[in-house]
Amino acid sequence: MKFKNIYITLLLLFMTAILSAQQDAHYSFYRYNMNLINPAYAGAGEVTNIGMNIRSQWASVQGAPETQSLIFGTPVGKNVGLGVSIVNDKTFIEKQTWFALDFSYRLQLNEGNQLFFGVKGGFASYNVNTEGLVTYGIQQDRSLMNLDGRFNPNIGAGAYLRGERYFVSLSIPRILSPDRLQENDGEARLGVDKIHTYLAGGYDFDLGGSTQLKPTVLFRYVDGAPLSVDFTTLVGFNERFDIGAAYRLNEGLAGLFLFTAKDWLQIGYAYEMATQNQLRSVENGTHELMLNLKL
């Protein structure tokens, strides 16, 4: 009976994670690796930045989502920024590697405010093991046989407004909609990638001394899916330690910790747990590790 319950739960996980309308990975540290979702952020830090992020979702669940990303951004001249982003995403029977080049241009609005515009161009290799659907007892149509080994080009765009204490980000990292696996009435069929629109913002409050309060919010809209909202609040100490919590509406809670060493190395760890009962019964949380180098 216990095995049967686990099997049913895994099936629910598969249906919600792989065949849902929301198809891109979540990131707890979206504020610190933002050019993954917004090309306008490339070079916005005014120094060369190299970042790595590893996210392992629903630990202890075999085949659960795993995402590894590598980002690079650097200013070129006075107003231009260039970047590279590589994302490797694996979820049950799907595997996708996304490679993109970013270009951004800065407008100096006044002494304390800057507006960046960015474009992203790249491609993804997409593979799906359709035979694995048998494991989950899901039917499929024959058109899925043509999905394996595809290379899908794509483009994206974004804007990033930054002040001394605040930021606002609006972006669509992938505008085109290539074919991919999709659920329809309990059957796996040939579908399309959904366009993801991101709106994020944050403000740093000075609490006195060397302490800051850093609340941020991220809205993610995907056609056919509920609006995803992330609320994150960090408290920074001496520009060295940041600790806080995050809440993803109706999905999960997370604790976050960041350490900055000598202004060039930043290490972050987040632990997230699901709020849905069917997930909490089988998963041991989600782990995310971030590393940023500022050169």
Side-chain angles (χ1 to χ4, degrees):
M1 181 64 66
K2 182 179 180 180
F3 177 81
K4 182 179 179 181
N5 290 337
I6 293 177
Y7 177 85
I8 294 174
T9 304
L10 288 176
L11 178 59
L12 290 173
L13 294 177
F14 177 84
M15 296 293 290
T16 57
I18 301 305
L19 306 180
S20 67
Q22 295 196 31
Q23 297 154 336
D24 288 354
H26 288 284
Y27 297 99
S28 296
F29 292 109
Y30 58 85
R31 177 174 179 174
Y32 303 93
N33 51 17
M34 191 165 290
N35 60 311
L36 286 173
I37 61 174
N38 190 348
Y41 190 74
E46 300 180 352
V47 296
T48 298
N49 179 72
I50 301 174
M52 291 172 283
N53 189 283
I54 300 173
R55 181 177 173 86
S56 179
Q57 189 167 336
W58 303 334
S60 78
V61 176
Q62 185 176 2
E66 294 183 3
T67 304
Q68 303 89 33
S69 61
L70 175 66
I71 58 175
F72 170 83
T74 186
V76 179
K78 184 179 180 180
N79 297 316
V80 173
L82 297 177
V84 176
S85 55
I86 303 172
V87 180
N88 182 58
D89 195 27
K90 182 180 70 172
T91 311
F92 290 100
I93 64 172
E94 285 185 304
K95 293 182 180 180
Q96 183 169 235
T97 300
W98 167 248
F99 175 86
L101 298 176
D102 301 325
F103 173 86
S104 70
Y105 187 82
R106 180 182 67 172
L107 295 177
Q108 189 73 40
L109 301 180
N110 50 46
E111 184 177 354
N113 297 279
Q114 299 171 325
L115 178 61
F116 298 81
F117 295 98
V119 292
K120 179 189 292 285
F123 65 89
S125 66
Y126 181 76
N127 295 274
V128 56
N129 176 20
T130 55
E131 294 181 358
L133 290 170
V134 178
T135 303
Y136 301 94
I138 299 175
Q139 299 179 356
Q140 59 172 302
D141 65 9
R142 294 183 179 181
S143 63
L144 296 180
M145 301 300 294
N146 299 322
L147 279 177
D148 194 44
R150 287 198 172 191
F151 283 85
N152 301 317
N154 219 316
I155 56 174
Y160 179 72
L161 176 64
R162 183 180 66 186
E164 294 181 359
R165 292 185 175 274
Y166 76 93
F167 77 91
V168 178
S169 171
L170 176 63
S171 63
I172 302 177
R174 304 180 194 181
I175 296 175
L176 304 181
S177 301
D179 294 336
R180 70 174 299 162
L181 188 67
Q182 182 172 299
E183 184 268 343
N184 188 2
D185 296 329
E187 183 178 23
R189 301 188 181 188
L190 185 65
V192 295
D193 233 339
K194 301 290 186 178
I195 295 177
H196 292 55
T197 302
Y198 295 87
L199 174 63
Y203 192 94
D204 295 344
F205 296 90
D206 191 354
L207 299 182
S210 57
T211 305
Q212 286 185 316
L213 182 66
K214 305 175 182 179
T216 60
V217 61
L218 172 68
F219 299 92
R220 182 168 76 165
Y221 173 75
V222 185
D223 184 29
L227 180 67
S228 177
V229 186
D230 284 48
F231 301 97
T232 304
T233 300
L234 294 172
V235 179
F237 304 94
N238 299 316
E239 298 183 353
R240 287 287 180 262
F241 299 95
D242 292 76
I243 188 170
Y247 172 65
R248 182 171 300 119
L249 189 64
N250 299 324
E251 292 188 41
L253 293 167
L256 299 87
F257 174 79
L258 292 98
F259 171 69
T260 302
K262 298 183 178 180
D263 299 325
W264 64 271
L265 173 63
Q266 189 175 54
I267 301 172
Y269 171 75
Y271 176 81
E272 182 180 318
M273 58 182 180
T275 55
Q276 303 99 320
N277 292 331
Q278 70 270 25
L279 295 179
R280 284 188 316 203
S281 63
V282 295
E283 60 100 19
N284 290 328
T286 295
H287 304 272
E288 185 171 328
L289 181 64
M290 181 200 71
L291 176 65
N292 275 344
L293 303 176
K294 299 183 183 297
L295 307 177

PDB file of all heavy atoms in Angstrom, residues 165 203-213:
ATOM      1  N   ARG A 165      18.862  52.722  -4.381  1.00  0.00           N
ATOM      2  CA  ARG A 165      18.339  51.767  -3.407  1.00  0.00           C
ATOM      3  C   ARG A 165      17.288  50.812  -3.977  1.00  0.00           C
ATOM      4  O   ARG A 165      16.812  49.940  -3.254  1.00  0.00           O
ATOM      5  CB  ARG A 165      17.720  52.512  -2.209  1.00  0.00           C
ATOM      6  CG  ARG A 165      18.730  53.241  -1.350  1.00  0.00           C
ATOM      7  CD  ARG A 165      18.049  53.852  -0.135  1.00  0.00           C
ATOM      8  NE  ARG A 165      18.999  54.455   0.773  1.00  0.00           N
ATOM      9  CZ  ARG A 165      19.642  53.795   1.741  1.00  0.00           C
ATOM     10  NH1 ARG A 165      19.408  52.518   1.908  1.00  0.00           N
ATOM     11  NH2 ARG A 165      20.489  54.421   2.529  1.00  0.00           N
ATOM     12  N   TYR A 203      13.606  47.032  -2.986  1.00  0.00           N
ATOM     13  CA  TYR A 203      14.068  48.289  -2.384  1.00  0.00           C
ATOM     14  C   TYR A 203      14.864  47.940  -1.133  1.00  0.00           C
ATOM     15  O   TYR A 203      14.451  47.090  -0.328  1.00  0.00           O
ATOM     16  CB  TYR A 203      12.891  49.194  -2.029  1.00  0.00           C
ATOM     17  CG  TYR A 203      13.298  50.608  -1.673  1.00  0.00           C
ATOM     18  CD1 TYR A 203      13.301  51.600  -2.645  1.00  0.00           C
ATOM     19  CD2 TYR A 203      13.693  50.934  -0.380  1.00  0.00           C
ATOM     20  CE1 TYR A 203      13.680  52.905  -2.330  1.00  0.00           C
ATOM     21  CE2 TYR A 203      14.079  52.228  -0.049  1.00  0.00           C
ATOM     22  CZ  TYR A 203      14.072  53.209  -1.033  1.00  0.00           C
ATOM     23  OH  TYR A 203      14.466  54.488  -0.717  1.00  0.00           O
ATOM     24  N   ASP A 204      16.007  48.611  -0.958  1.00  0.00           N
ATOM     25  CA  ASP A 204      16.863  48.393   0.212  1.00  0.00           C
ATOM     26  C   ASP A 204      16.641  49.514   1.217  1.00  0.00           C
ATOM     27  O   ASP A 204      16.899  50.701   0.913  1.00  0.00           O
ATOM     28  CB  ASP A 204      18.336  48.344  -0.201  1.00  0.00           C
ATOM     29  CG  ASP A 204      18.657  47.158  -1.097  1.00  0.00           C
ATOM     30  OD1 ASP A 204      17.824  46.225  -1.149  1.00  0.00           O
ATOM     31  OD2 ASP A 204      19.731  47.169  -1.735  1.00  0.00           O
ATOM     32  N   PHE A 205      16.162  49.142   2.418  1.00  0.00           N
ATOM     33  CA  PHE A 205      15.926  50.111   3.481  1.00  0.00           C
ATOM     34  C   PHE A 205      17.098  50.115   4.455  1.00  0.00           C
ATOM     35  O   PHE A 205      17.574  49.047   4.867  1.00  0.00           O
ATOM     36  CB  PHE A 205      14.640  49.756   4.248  1.00  0.00           C
ATOM     37  CG  PHE A 205      13.389  49.840   3.421  1.00  0.00           C
ATOM     38  CD1 PHE A 205      12.924  48.740   2.720  1.00  0.00           C
ATOM     39  CD2 PHE A 205      12.673  51.024   3.350  1.00  0.00           C
ATOM     40  CE1 PHE A 205      11.769  48.799   1.965  1.00  0.00           C
ATOM     41  CE2 PHE A 205      11.512  51.105   2.593  1.00  0.00           C
ATOM     42  CZ  PHE A 205      11.060  49.992   1.900  1.00  0.00           C
ATOM     43  N   ASP A 206      17.542  51.300   4.820  1.00  0.00           N
ATOM     44  CA  ASP A 206      18.613  51.445   5.798  1.00  0.00           C
ATOM     45  C   ASP A 206      18.013  51.414   7.200  1.00  0.00           C
ATOM     46  O   ASP A 206      17.218  52.289   7.571  1.00  0.00           O
ATOM     47  CB  ASP A 206      19.358  52.759   5.557  1.00  0.00           C
ATOM     48  CG  ASP A 206      20.650  52.849   6.359  1.00  0.00           C
ATOM     49  OD1 ASP A 206      20.905  51.936   7.188  1.00  0.00           O
ATOM     50  OD2 ASP A 206      21.399  53.817   6.169  1.00  0.00           O
ATOM     51  N   LEU A 207      18.392  50.394   7.996  1.00  0.00           N
ATOM     52  CA  LEU A 207      17.865  50.254   9.348  1.00  0.00           C
ATOM     53  C   LEU A 207      18.760  50.899  10.398  1.00  0.00           C
ATOM     54  O   LEU A 207      18.484  50.813  11.589  1.00  0.00           O
ATOM     55  CB  LEU A 207      17.673  48.763   9.673  1.00  0.00           C
ATOM     56  CG  LEU A 207      16.707  47.993   8.778  1.00  0.00           C
ATOM     57  CD1 LEU A 207      16.593  46.541   9.248  1.00  0.00           C
ATOM     58  CD2 LEU A 207      15.346  48.660   8.752  1.00  0.00           C
ATOM     59  N   GLY A 208      19.834  51.525   9.943  1.00  0.00           N
ATOM     60  CA  GLY A 208      20.746  52.154  10.886  1.00  0.00           C
ATOM     61  C   GLY A 208      22.007  51.343  11.064  1.00  0.00           C
ATOM     62  O   GLY A 208      22.008  50.110  10.983  1.00  0.00           O
ATOM     63  N   GLY A 209      23.092  52.049  11.288  1.00  0.00           N
ATOM     64  CA  GLY A 209      24.359  51.369  11.425  1.00  0.00           C
ATOM     65  C   GLY A 209      24.758  50.725  10.107  1.00  0.00           C
ATOM     66  O   GLY A 209      24.794  51.353   9.059  1.00  0.00           O
ATOM     67  N   SER A 210      25.016  49.437  10.133  1.00  0.00           N
ATOM     68  CA  SER A 210      25.410  48.692   8.932  1.00  0.00           C
ATOM     69  C   SER A 210      24.387  47.623   8.579  1.00  0.00           C
ATOM     70  O   SER A 210      24.720  46.608   7.982  1.00  0.00           O
ATOM     71  CB  SER A 210      26.789  48.048   9.142  1.00  0.00           C
ATOM     72  OG  SER A 210      26.766  47.213  10.294  1.00  0.00           O
ATOM     73  N   THR A 211      23.117  47.859   8.958  1.00  0.00           N
ATOM     74  CA  THR A 211      22.061  46.866   8.738  1.00  0.00           C
ATOM     75  C   THR A 211      21.069  47.382   7.700  1.00  0.00           C
ATOM     76  O   THR A 211      20.671  48.548   7.734  1.00  0.00           O
ATOM     77  CB  THR A 211      21.320  46.557  10.050  1.00  0.00           C
ATOM     78  OG1 THR A 211      22.255  46.156  11.041  1.00  0.00           O
ATOM     79  CG2 THR A 211      20.307  45.451   9.847  1.00  0.00           C
ATOM     80  N   GLN A 212      20.686  46.492   6.773  1.00  0.00           N
ATOM     81  CA  GLN A 212      19.733  46.838   5.730  1.00  0.00           C
ATOM     82  C   GLN A 212      18.629  45.794   5.650  1.00  0.00           C
ATOM     83  O   GLN A 212      18.874  44.600   5.883  1.00  0.00           O
ATOM     84  CB  GLN A 212      20.421  46.939   4.369  1.00  0.00           C
ATOM     85  CG  GLN A 212      21.274  48.172   4.176  1.00  0.00           C
ATOM     86  CD  GLN A 212      21.802  48.253   2.765  1.00  0.00           C
ATOM     87  OE1 GLN A 212      22.267  47.268   2.198  1.00  0.00           O
ATOM     88  NE2 GLN A 212      21.725  49.440   2.167  1.00  0.00           N
ATOM     89  N   LEU A 213      17.425  46.248   5.298  1.00  0.00           N
ATOM     90  CA  LEU A 213      16.297  45.367   5.010  1.00  0.00           C
ATOM     91  C   LEU A 213      16.086  45.375   3.496  1.00  0.00           C
ATOM     92  O   LEU A 213      15.943  46.447   2.893  1.00  0.00           O
ATOM     93  CB  LEU A 213      15.043  45.843   5.733  1.00  0.00           C
ATOM     94  CG  LEU A 213      13.784  44.994   5.555  1.00  0.00           C
ATOM     95  CD1 LEU A 213      13.970  43.625   6.204  1.00  0.00           C
ATOM     96  CD2 LEU A 213      12.569  45.712   6.132  1.00  0.00           C
TER      97      LEU A 213
END
